[in-house]
Amino acid sequence: MLAPYYHKSKDPDRRRSAQLSAVRYRVETSNGQLAERYGIKRTWAKDLWHLCHRIIRAILSHTVLAWINFRAGHSPMQLDKLAA
C-alpha cells in the first residue's frame, strides 16, 4: 500500500506523491458519496446475500451516474450537477 508523504520536505519523488494524492482524493470522494447519498453504512440487510446485492447496486448506480456526468462534460464526482 502506497501513500503520499506527510511532509513535502521528506518526499524523494514529489511527482509520485502528487499522483497518489489525486487517486486518494477520488477514492475518498467516492466513499463519502456512497456513505452520504446512498446510505451504504446502514443497509439493514438480514443476510449476506441481500447485503452484497444492495452494496453492488449502490456502487453500480454511483458508477453510472459518474459516467453520465462525465459524458455531460462535468467532473465525474460532482453528481449534484445532474440534478440542476
Side-chain angles (χ1 to χ4, degrees):
M1 185 135 247
L2 298 173
Y5 280 82
Y6 187 71
H7 297 290
K8 287 186 179 182
S9 62
K10 296 180 181 179
D11 189 3
D13 188 8
R14 291 185 185 180
R15 187 175 60 233
R16 186 185 75 173
S17 287
Q19 291 171 344
L20 289 172
S21 294
V23 170
R24 182 177 179 174
Y25 175 76
R26 175 117 353 145
V27 168
E28 287 182 359
T29 303
S30 296
N31 287 340
Q33 287 177 349
L34 285 169
E36 292 296 321
R37 292 192 174 125
Y38 290 93
I40 209 158
K41 286 183 178 180
R42 289 173 247 103
T43 56
W44 306 115
K46 296 194 186 253
D47 58 6
L48 183 61
W49 190 86
H50 286 98
L51 174 68
C52 290
H53 282 81
R54 287 180 185 183
I55 291 172
I56 288 169
R57 281 195 309 259
I59 292 172
L60 178 64
S61 172
H62 184 266
T63 304
V64 168
L65 286 174
W67 180 74
I68 291 170
N69 208 13
F70 178 75
R71 298 277 298 189
H74 305 297
S75 174
M77 293 294 121
Q78 294 178 347
L79 299 179
D80 294 337
K81 291 195 176 188
L82 286 175

